[in-house]
Amino acid sequence: MQAAALEWMFDGVWDRSEHYAKRPERSERPILLAENITVKFGEIVAVDNVTVNVRQGELLAIIGPNGAGKTSLLNVISGFYKPVAGRVVFKGQDISRMPPHKRVELGISRTFQHSQLFLGMTVLDNIIVGLFPWRRTNTLAAAFWLRSARKWEEWARESVEHVIDLLELHEYRYRVVGSLSPGLQKRVDLARALVQNPEVVLMDEPMAGLTREEKEDLARAIIEVHETQGTTFVMVEHDLEVVTDIADRIIVMDSGRVIAEGEPEEVVHNPRVIHAYVGG
Amino acid sequence: MPAGVFKETYGEEIAIFRYPIHYAGAALGLLFALMLPILVGPYYMLLAVSFLIFLVGTVGLNITVGLAGLISLAHAALMGMGAYVTAFLAEKGVNILVAIPVAGLSAAALAFILALPSFRLKGYYLAMASLAAQFIIEYIFALIDPDQYVPIPDEAKYLGGIYLGRGLPLYYTTLAITIVSILTAVNLGRSILGRAMKAVRDNDVAAEVVGINVYYVKAIAFTIGGFYAGLAGGLYALYSSGIGWEGFTLEGSIEYLGMVLIGGPGRIVWGSFLGVLLVRTGWTLLESTLADLIVSYVAAALKYLILGGMIAGFIIFEPEGLIAVLRRFKEYLRLWPYSY
Amino acid sequence: MAQNTKYIALIVLVIVVVAAAAFMFFQKPGAGKEEAPEKLTVKIGVLTDETGPTSDVGISYAKGVLAALKYFNEKGITTKDGVKVELSWVKRDYAYNPTKAEEFYKEFRDKYGVIAVLGWGTADTEKLSDTIINDKIVYISASYSAKLTAKPYNFFVPPDYSTQACIAISWIASVKPGAKIALLYDHKVAYSRSPIDAIKAAAQQLGLEVVADVDLPLKATEADAERAVLQIVDKNPDYVWCGNTITSCSLAAKAMAKQGLNAIMISNVWGFDERSKDMIGPEGYGKAMGVSPFIYPAIARQQNIPGINLVLEAARAAGYSDTDVNLRFLQGFLSAWLLVQAIERVDSQALMDKGGEALKEVLEASCQGQAFDFQGLVAPARFCPGRHIASEQAYLVLLNENGEFELKGPQSAPEGIDCAQITIQAGG
Amino acid sequence: MVEANILVGALFQGFVLGLIYALIALGFNIIYRVSKSINFAHPALILLVGYVALVVSRQNGIAAGLIISLAVAALAGLVLEKSLAKPLIGKPPVALIGATLGAFYVIRGVTFIVGRFEAAALPLQSTYYSLGLLKVSTNDLVSMAVTGAGLLGLILLHNKTRIGSAIRAVAEDAEGAAGYGLPVSRLMTLSWILAGLTGALGGLALSLKAQVNPYLDFYAIKAFAASILAGLDSIGGVVLGGLALGLVEQLASIVLEPYLPGIGGHIAFFFLLLILLVKPYGLFGTERIERI
């Protein structure tokens, strides 16, 4: 008893496998379900009774014109918005009432349309902060830099180095993110999500504002993670070209509703989609 | 990063002393701190003691304000909490060296309660909540201390026959506690907790969404700040023959905030160091000089004008504080005479 | 890791060596005795509040202190055995912040080696009252709390608050036996609470009735004052004791006039002075008075009290106009004068050997010996060991119907009741 | 049981003080609307106004005191805007909080030079009138007139004039307002001057009710509580908040004073903390929607 208490105080136990749990195989089974979601801002209905079913291991894209409610839907899934109606289910568990940081701990990470990095911090620190839910030190251990704190730091650095390798951020490690280009900032944003080793990554317009080259780099990285680790991606995107290239499945939204759903090829040729994009 | 230094482990990279110059600097600094009583007279030694006490308090506020970005106007009240707890325990016969950490903990507990509004509030609202808290605590002090003076019994200030309340023992005791405080503060700053605080400061909305329990981090930042304030209060009780609540008023809290904002918010050690050196100790010295030179009311008005002007000026022109100015000056010297 | 250990070992070694050196360095042998020189310099610390919450009176008080120090210094001070003494003073404005007061006190003590401090209010005097015993530094202040009379190194010129209040009660009893008294004061402020127990005891003894005890905040608005007055109005008091400072006492006097309470308000020494005339206004004329151990300078000039000419001369010499010389100025002046008189009675050798302790001894020698005389401005002062109550005499100053200050008394403290002791025993 | 005359007197005085709190709180409100931050220099401004009025009216009469102190407050508002608010546009609100805290001290210093922190009463002859249980003095009437005029003037300016609606637009959405060609920068300056003027009127009334003393700013800090009760963006709510605070103070004094001496003077802070804990955006204030 006493030994356990001491261990908790001074030398938190850290099991690596906890963080690197093995992913299940890709399947038709839904991993994430957003059901009958409605979001309102005052009188404006941003999302109107939308149901989205995300399957295990897929790369799902949500597209649609501006104001279609895509980002709002993402915000509901990540817990930032409270929907007026509907629920969010992750791996069979209703997470509708869970605060955002808890959802991250469960395995839902996200990136942002406009850089939401911590601008005063270095790239390294920005990514490490993503590991906050998995910290295994308490305040006292941190204050005296006890073994648990040191070991955790090393573990965290290894994890970070892994994503730095993956996203080729080596030379920017010690740069303050405020001084980086938008493209690099997006990469850091993704790195921060990936270091959490999530089961589902929600991406909000990852390609917006990037050069063609940057888009290709980013797409390659996403595909690599998707294929090697079996991570599920839900991507809100504007750029149809990228989406049709990499998505397994596409959902099209307009004016807060889902207007089409299916394989990239069939969706792109759906007349309602063409109408919404071109005619709308 | 100086050339020719290579790190082999991640641990080395985030160590406090990373380069030989750090070791040399720390050793020299320590040597200076230890020899200070020899170098200066007893008055300056006591001034140094009061410098150290307020340094501990300011380091705490720098964690709350500088790292976590939570404006607190109740820091002097928290320091008062520490001082009163120490006085109470000393009265009960508890040794002051035991009482001081307890003072820190009780101030931390109070700070935790004060942090509750921060769960729902940010920025200006939090500043107002802490302002209200400052006045409420002041009021409670006035109720529990109707004589405006609580003596600290000398009997509590002994350690194995040595009286810690004055002279060298006072200086070295304060120095030791200050050094431990600073080291723990630095460790907290470089830990994941410290990084999470910075994240909350830079962008609390995003911090929540990327998995940081913002409430928890805010509460802990407030609590840690309170702990150091309480520690400073305890040290103050050691240094002083008695305490009165008039020493822990809003003016004290504003002065604390001024020390953080002028010195360098977010730079826990050096920012606080410069802030206290300039705003508190420097001012005391300047006041002593001015008092003989000019009419006293001008000097008195100057106190308000200069401190207020510096707080506003630094926020507008150099939000990173004096430390940033010094750093730029250092860079300039390093590159001199080639300015590029 | 090994490298770290090496550094740590090095640092520990340095610490040990330096600490040892420091301790050795500080074990200095005691300074040798010197022969009495032609001229002695006495260092004095002056603590003032010229910017803080009590600066409205602190500024004038500080002027008085400085004028006196300058004046006597130029006039020449000699000790009992004829050695010339020069005063050298250091003044600091601590703005009523006890933390600052302590810092400055330590500067006085350790940097300048003062043997006496001319202090100011509750915040600094109370806080330093224990420290000065160890340091043997005489502390003369304007905080007249009864508690301080039992402290060996605290002195002040007038009687303590409790004795002053009892004098007022005794005056009431002599003017209107069986009068009803209501008490208005801030229940949480030490200065305001200090004389209350003594007042109640004295009133009982003298056959007066305390009919109300109501809280009046020190930081009051008209609303607060009126509420307090409304609470005593139907108790029909004949006299109202206001134990606060001038702002809230004058508001109380106004509220009494407004609510038609036909009673006379008597204020504590800090609650009433020359400014009361304007602050209370015509409606309160004839209804307000203050306890004052000191003769107001304006009245002193009318009555040709000898001491006032000295004060005016000093004020002019220091560059102040005659209008600067008000009650607070006088209080400051007298505090410094007491110190000067003590120096004039001390033996130069004792002063050099024992510093503040020698001053304390001559101050306390007045218990049986000659009293300190202030040429009629305040009653002569005697200090007995363990009981530093300078005198038991004070005036009552009435703001009469014509808006002029009228001196009543001097009145003595009631017989057979030790007001200071009551306060000390009550712990306030 | 509390006697009727005490209750009537306290409620009336609470009402008069409530108007003063409301007017001072409106100063916070005006600044919040355009600068989205708290102006911590406002309490010091109240102090400055009190002393300027005192010093001037001693020499040249109360009317001159009134005019000069209004002018000084307007000037102070202008200087604060030009020196602090303008350079800090776009910075987080915390920056302006810190900067105005600095200004708080600077204005205190200036006040000290002006008035040496003496305690005195404004030279205004007081006459008393009796209305049954209630006694009213000239001070009460003048305070009510000054604060009432100030509040009414502001509400009219805000709701009925073009300047008022322009300021409202800037408060809602500064960028949008600029898009419609509104002189945003000039309107901001105007708002700060307006805040200074309301502060001056409130400060004058306060100087009558509490006399001029070095802790006048304490009452202005208490007015924070009034400004937050209804939410910082609702003008009508601020008036209600001020009145509520004035009454609560008096009632708390009567009821709780025997147990907690001096609670009346501090209840505002309990009030403030409670509101912030329970309903941080006030009773009528709107929660800002954040976007990412």
Side-chain angles (χ1 to χ4, degrees):
Chain A
M1 175 57 215
Q2 216 174 9
L6 278 177
E7 202 167 351
W8 174 80
M9 277 178 79
F10 297 111
D11 194 19
V13 186
W14 177 241
D15 181 6
R16 214 166 270 253
S17 61
E18 203 179 309
H19 189 57
Y20 287 121
K22 200 166 164 18
R23 299 265 172 271
E25 291 297 301
R26 184 172 172 176
S27 71
E28 291 296 299
R29 207 167 57 88
I31 182 167
L32 182 70
L33 172 68
E35 203 174 32
N36 303 335
I37 303 289
T38 304
V39 178
K40 279 186 185 171
F41 297 117
E43 292 302 302
I44 305 155
V45 182
V47 179
D48 186 5
N49 198 17
V50 167
T51 298
V52 171
N53 193 344
V54 183
R55 293 168 197 156
Q56 176 79 54
E58 75 173 340
L59 206 163
L60 173 70
I62 303 176
I63 62 170
N66 276 332
K70 302 166 300 205
T71 301
S72 296
L73 184 66
L74 221 55
N75 281 339
V76 167
I77 297 174
S78 63
F80 184 62
Y81 283 170
K82 300 269 167 295
V84 182
R87 60 181 194 141
V88 181
V89 179
F90 179 64
K91 295 205 289 190
Q93 184 187 358
D94 187 340
I95 58 167
S96 305
R97 300 194 159 272
M98 206 173 258
H101 67 267
K102 285 270 179 203
R103 303 187 192 200
V104 173
E105 209 169 332
L106 277 187
I108 308 175
S109 299
R110 74 166 285 177
T111 68
F112 301 88
Q113 177 179 3
H114 306 293
S115 163
Q116 296 286 345
L117 294 167
F118 309 118
L119 296 179
M121 294 158 64
T122 60
V123 169
L124 200 64
D125 282 350
N126 261 282
I127 303 174
I128 281 194
V129 151
L131 289 168
F132 184 82
W134 293 275
R135 77 198 181 286
R136 283 299 178 277
T137 56
N138 58 57
T139 312
L140 207 60
F144 290 97
W145 213 239
L146 301 177
R147 210 175 58 151
S148 66
R150 294 197 304 266
K151 282 179 71 178
W152 189 85
E153 272 310 318
E154 284 175 23
W155 171 84
R157 258 313 279 280
E158 276 170 26
S159 312
V160 171
E161 288 301 328
H162 173 72
V163 289
I164 282 182
D165 281 345
L166 196 69
L167 295 172
E168 289 166 3
L169 285 164
H170 304 97
E171 49 197 299
Y172 309 108
R173 269 193 205 109
Y174 301 104
R175 290 273 290 278
V176 174
V177 287
S179 65
L180 298 181
S181 71
L184 280 167
Q185 290 197 6
K186 289 236 149 164
R187 248 148 78 187
V188 178
D189 196 1
L190 181 60
R192 187 174 61 184
L194 290 182
V195 80
Q196 298 172 328
N197 196 29
E199 296 198 36
V200 177
V201 182
L202 311 171
M203 301 187 81
D204 194 359
E205 305 225 3
M207 304 301 171
L210 299 192
T211 63
R212 190 175 181 84
E213 207 172 318
E214 284 171 335
K215 281 181 189 170
E216 280 170 7
D217 283 348
L218 194 60
R220 214 175 294 127
I222 292 171
I223 291 168
E224 191 182 335
V225 175
H226 178 59
E227 284 175 358
T228 55
Q229 300 187 11
T231 311
T232 311
F233 279 85
V234 179
M235 187 191 289
V236 163
E237 189 46 73
H238 216 71
D239 190 324
L240 265 184
E241 200 184 333
V242 176
V243 167
T244 43
D245 274 357
I246 66 174
D248 297 325
R249 201 158 65 92
I250 292 179
I251 289 177
V252 187
M253 283 180 75
D254 187 24
S255 315
R257 290 202 178 84
V258 173
I259 54 170
E261 192 175 343
E263 301 276 316
E265 280 307 303
E266 56 182 287
V267 166
V268 174
H269 296 109
N270 184 323
R272 284 181 69 189
V273 176
I274 294 166
H275 177 75
Y277 256 79
V278 183
Chain B
M1 222 184 294
V5 181
F6 299 101
K7 299 295 166 204
E8 286 163 11
T9 66
Y10 297 139
E12 279 175 27
E13 214 177 88
I14 52 169
I16 299 176
F17 303 125
R18 288 187 296 275
Y19 311 113
I21 190 158
H22 288 165
Y23 283 101
L28 272 178
L30 196 63
L31 195 70
F32 176 75
L34 288 170
M35 295 205 1
L36 190 78
I38 301 178
L39 301 173
V40 301
Y43 163 62
Y44 291 100
M45 189 175 78
L46 282 176
L47 201 62
V49 170
S50 107
F51 169 82
L52 293 174
I53 292 171
F54 281 89
L55 179 60
V56 173
T58 308
V59 162
L61 188 63
N62 212 334
I63 291 176
T64 312
V65 175
L67 278 192
L70 305 166
I71 285 256
S72 166
L73 280 167
H75 211 64
L78 292 172
M79 181 179 175
M81 175 74 178
Y84 274 106
V85 167
T86 312
F88 174 78
L89 291 176
E91 186 75 77
K92 293 267 174 288
V94 179
N95 191 288
I96 198 139
L97 290 180
V98 180
I100 290 174
V102 177
L105 290 175
S106 44
L110 180 62
F112 178 76
I113 297 170
L114 298 188
L116 293 180
S118 75
F119 285 8
R120 298 184 58 180
L121 310 172
K122 39 207 256 187
Y124 33 94
Y125 286 105
L126 188 61
M128 288 170 85
S130 63
L131 182 74
Q134 164 76 37
F135 278 110
I136 290 173
I137 298 172
E138 237 177 76
Y139 173 66
I140 293 170
F141 285 163
L143 285 185
I144 60 170
D145 173 21
D147 292 343
Q148 289 157 264
Y149 174 70
V150 181
I152 318 283
D154 275 346
E155 297 78 58
K157 296 186 183 173
Y158 280 91
L159 175 68
I162 302 173
Y163 180 62
L164 298 177
R166 64 160 63 202
L168 289 178
L170 172 64
Y171 177 75
Y172 286 119
T173 311
T174 317
L175 183 65
I177 295 177
T178 308
I179 289 176
V180 173
S181 309
I182 287 178
L183 285 179
T184 49
V186 170
N187 284 337
L188 285 169
R190 67 186 170 138
S191 74
I192 181 71
L193 207 58
R195 298 194 191 97
M197 286 179 199
K198 284 188 202 163
V200 170
R201 172 196 68 191
D202 283 358
N203 189 340
D204 58 346
V205 175
E208 174 71 30
V209 181
V210 301
I212 293 171
N213 187 344
V214 173
Y215 294 165
Y216 171 83
V217 171
K218 280 181 173 178
I220 211 119
F222 233 98
T223 309
I224 292 172
F227 179 79
Y228 286 107
L231 218 52
L235 285 172
Y236 182 71
L238 171 68
Y239 154 88
S240 179
S241 55
I243 52 165
W245 59 266
E246 279 145 323
F248 311 109
T249 53
L250 179 65
E251 293 222 348
S253 285
I254 295 180
E255 194 181 77
Y256 261 125
L257 200 59
M259 292 194 276
V260 170
L261 294 178
I262 291 171
R267 299 297 307 272
I268 305 176
V269 180
W270 292 112
S272 309
F273 187 90
L274 285 174
V276 184
L277 194 64
L278 191 71
V279 174
R280 195 168 174 96
T281 311
W283 180 257
T284 303
L285 291 173
L286 184 68
E287 215 170 11
S288 304
T289 323
L290 287 179
D292 305 330
L293 293 177
I294 49 175
V295 196
S296 140
Y297 76 83
V298 178
L302 274 181
K303 176 170 68 183
Y304 288 119
L305 293 175
I306 294 179
L307 181 59
M310 279 207 303
I311 293 176
F314 269 104
I315 287 179
I316 293 170
F317 300 112
E318 187 48 271
E320 285 174 42
L322 194 58
I323 187 89
V325 176
L326 285 190
R327 164 170 298 185
R328 238 180 285 128
F329 184 63
K330 190 189 95 182
E331 281 303 298
Y332 172 79
L333 283 188
R334 200 166 70 88
L335 297 173
W336 192 85
Y338 309 105
S339 58
Y340 39 85
Chain C
M1 219 57 236
Q3 212 181 6
N4 280 5
T5 323
K6 205 169 69 192
Y7 278 114
I8 289 164
L10 192 74
I11 289 165
V12 169
L13 189 74
V14 169
I15 293 174
V16 171
V17 169
V18 171
F23 272 104
M24 265 149 56
F25 187 84
F26 267 79
Q27 303 217 316
K28 276 188 231 160
K33 258 192 174 179
E34 290 165 39
E35 289 298 301
E38 292 282 292
K39 197 170 145 190
L40 268 174
T41 301
V42 169
K43 299 260 191 184
I44 299 166
V46 183
L47 269 181
T48 63
D49 174 15
E50 293 166 82
T51 46
T54 58
S55 57
D56 62 322
V57 276
I59 293 175
S60 287
Y61 185 89
K63 280 181 186 168
V65 168
L66 293 181
L69 291 176
K70 259 183 215 156
Y71 175 74
F72 290 114
N73 216 12
E74 272 160 32
K75 207 171 141 196
I77 305 166
T78 48
T79 60
K80 195 174 76 181
D81 52 340
V83 176
K84 213 170 161 352
V85 171
E86 199 188 334
L87 300 178
S88 152
W89 61 90
V90 193
K91 186 188 69 108
R92 296 284 179 266
D93 171 17
Y94 77 101
Y96 217 68
N97 177 346
T99 315
K100 273 276 175 198
E102 184 164 30
E103 224 167 72
F104 288 139
Y105 169 78
K106 286 176 173 167
E107 182 187 7
F108 292 165
R109 182 188 73 195
D110 296 335
K111 190 171 169 192
Y112 296 100
V114 306
I115 59 169
V117 173
L118 291 165
W120 170 235
T122 314
D124 59 309
T125 314
E126 291 267 340
K127 183 169 173 59
L128 297 170
S129 61
D130 290 323
T131 317
I132 55 174
I133 301 175
N134 289 328
D135 300 336
K136 298 197 183 351
I137 290 177
V138 166
Y139 204 97
I140 300 176
S141 68
S143 173
Y144 309 144
S145 163
K147 238 167 75 178
L148 297 170
T149 62
K151 303 265 183 184
Y153 279 86
N154 284 95
F155 296 89
F156 41 81
V157 177
D160 59 275
Y161 294 134
S162 303
T163 306
Q164 287 181 34
C166 283
I167 291 170
I169 297 300
S170 146
W171 181 81
I172 295 174
S174 73
V175 187
K176 185 165 183 170
K180 287 190 272 187
I181 305 170
L183 308 176
L184 295 183
Y185 61 96
D186 194 323
H187 286 207
K188 61 179 198 312
V189 172
Y191 149 75
S192 303
R193 284 169 0 121
S194 156
I196 295 303
D197 286 313
I199 289 179
K200 286 179 177 168
Q204 200 189 11
Q205 176 134 347
L206 297 171
L208 307 180
E209 193 191 349
V210 175
V211 292
D213 180 345
V214 172
D215 185 52
L216 170 66
L218 207 59
K219 292 180 184 172
T221 59
E222 280 188 351
D224 298 318
E226 269 178 44
R227 197 180 58 246
V229 167
L230 278 170
Q231 288 177 58
I232 60 173
V233 96
D234 55 355
K235 306 269 175 27
N236 268 321
D238 303 302
Y239 288 91
V240 175
W241 168 263
C242 177
N244 289 349
T245 50
I246 194 157
T247 304
S248 83
C249 281
S250 55
L251 285 172
K254 281 175 111 158
M256 280 166 60
K258 180 177 175 187
Q259 299 298 339
L261 175 58
N262 195 18
I264 292 179
M265 186 190 77
I266 304 185
S267 297
N268 210 338
V269 61
W270 296 107
F272 193 86
D273 60 30
E274 292 93 340
R275 297 169 293 165
S276 296
K277 187 186 166 192
D278 288 337
M279 290 180 74
I280 293 174
E283 60 273 18
Y285 288 179
K287 299 280 181 213
M289 60 198 307
V291 177
S292 173
F294 315 93
I295 297 190
Y296 283 23
I299 300 175
R301 287 168 77 177
Q302 283 167 15
Q303 299 190 354
N304 267 324
I305 306 287
I308 194 66
N309 295 323
L310 183 92
V311 178
L312 286 172
E313 196 185 324
R316 286 178 202 135
Y320 299 122
S321 71
D322 288 4
T323 48
D324 283 329
V325 182
N326 54 22
L327 174 62
R328 309 308 172 197
F329 184 98
L330 182 67
Q331 282 174 272
F333 189 92
L334 293 174
S335 294
W337 195 359
L338 174 66
L339 180 64
V340 169
Q341 289 196 37
I343 294 171
E344 282 173 340
R345 291 187 186 187
V346 82
D347 177 75
S348 64
Q349 191 61 50
L351 189 63
M352 276 187 1
D353 293 346
K354 296 197 282 186
E357 201 180 355
L359 288 178
K360 174 200 171 239
E361 279 164 8
V362 295
L363 280 162
E364 289 186 340
S366 65
C367 183
Q368 304 298 331
Q370 191 198 355
F372 291 95
D373 186 68
F374 299 96
Q375 300 184 14
L377 291 170
V378 63
R382 285 177 201 275
F383 302 97
C384 295
R387 192 179 153 81
H388 291 173
I389 302 175
S391 67
E392 299 204 331
Q393 216 179 62
Y395 299 93
L396 283 115
V397 182
L398 173 71
L399 178 62
N400 69 15
E401 273 86 356
N402 307 323
E404 286 158 1
F405 291 105
E406 200 179 303
L407 210 57
K408 309 265 184 190
Q411 178 75 32
S412 293
E415 292 287 321
I417 176 162
D418 191 340
C419 293
Q421 198 56 38
I422 291 169
T423 302
I424 294 169
Q425 271 165 6
Chain D
M1 198 49 230
V2 181
E3 287 88 350
N5 63 334
I6 301 182
L7 200 63
V8 170
L11 288 179
F12 174 68
Q13 289 297 327
F15 175 75
V16 177
L17 271 184
L19 285 176
I20 299 178
Y21 284 138
L23 193 58
I24 297 175
L26 262 185
F28 292 120
N29 174 287
I30 293 170
I31 301 300
Y32 173 78
R33 290 159 64 85
V34 292
S35 295
K36 295 288 174 276
S37 183
I38 300 294
N39 176 13
F40 272 95
H42 203 56
L45 193 70
I46 306 292
L47 192 68
L48 177 66
V49 165
Y51 277 98
V52 168
L54 176 72
V55 170
V56 175
S57 58
R58 262 187 193 158
Q59 309 268 319
N60 308 312
I62 189 98
L66 178 84
I67 293 166
I68 302 281
S69 52
L70 279 174
V72 166
L75 184 71
L78 180 73
V79 171
L80 285 175
E81 199 267 341
K82 293 286 175 219
S83 61
L84 304 180
K86 197 153 209 169
L88 289 176
I89 287 175
K91 296 272 171 63
V94 174
L96 195 56
I97 289 179
T100 50
L101 261 176
F104 172 80
Y105 260 34
V106 171
I107 298 179
R108 262 190 95 91
V110 173
T111 310
F112 185 80
I113 294 172
V114 171
R116 302 292 154 72
F117 285 176
E118 57 184 316
L122 289 183
L124 186 74
Q125 183 71 40
S126 218
T127 319
Y128 303 131
Y129 310 94
S130 188
L131 309 166
L133 281 176
L134 183 65
K135 309 279 197 302
V136 181
S137 72
T138 328
N139 270 1
D140 297 327
L141 297 177
V142 173
S143 303
M144 281 165 70
V146 167
T147 46
L151 287 172
L152 205 66
L154 257 177
I155 292 173
L156 287 180
L157 177 81
H158 189 258
N159 291 337
K160 303 280 181 205
T161 63
R162 283 183 53 205
I163 293 181
S165 43
I167 290 180
R168 283 209 311 271
V170 173
E172 287 292 322
D173 179 4
E175 282 173 31
Y180 282 107
L182 287 172
V184 173
S185 156
R186 289 231 304 276
L187 285 169
M188 268 189 71
T189 314
L190 188 69
S191 293
W192 278 81
I193 292 176
L194 218 52
L197 287 174
T198 59
L201 289 177
L204 282 167
L206 189 62
S207 307
L208 281 178
K209 294 297 288 174
Q211 304 195 328
V212 181
N213 59 57
Y215 43 82
L216 278 183
D217 49 354
F218 177 70
Y219 298 98
I221 293 175
K222 288 204 281 192
F224 272 143
S227 73
I228 205 96
L229 172 70
L232 273 166
D233 38 13
S234 143
I235 281 198
V238 172
V239 178
L240 276 181
L243 290 175
L245 176 62
L247 295 175
V248 164
E249 268 193 358
Q250 295 306 314
L251 291 178
S253 298
I254 291 176
V255 179
L256 299 174
E257 206 88 293
Y259 318 104
L260 292 166
I263 185 69
H266 287 81
I267 193 99
F269 303 111
F270 290 92
F271 202 60
L272 176 58
L273 207 56
L274 190 74
I275 299 161
L276 288 176
L277 273 171
V278 179
K279 224 166 159 21
Y281 299 95
L283 297 179
F284 315 116
T286 44
E287 190 162 352
R288 293 226 312 259
I289 298 165
E290 315 219 36
R291 295 184 182 278
I292 40 177

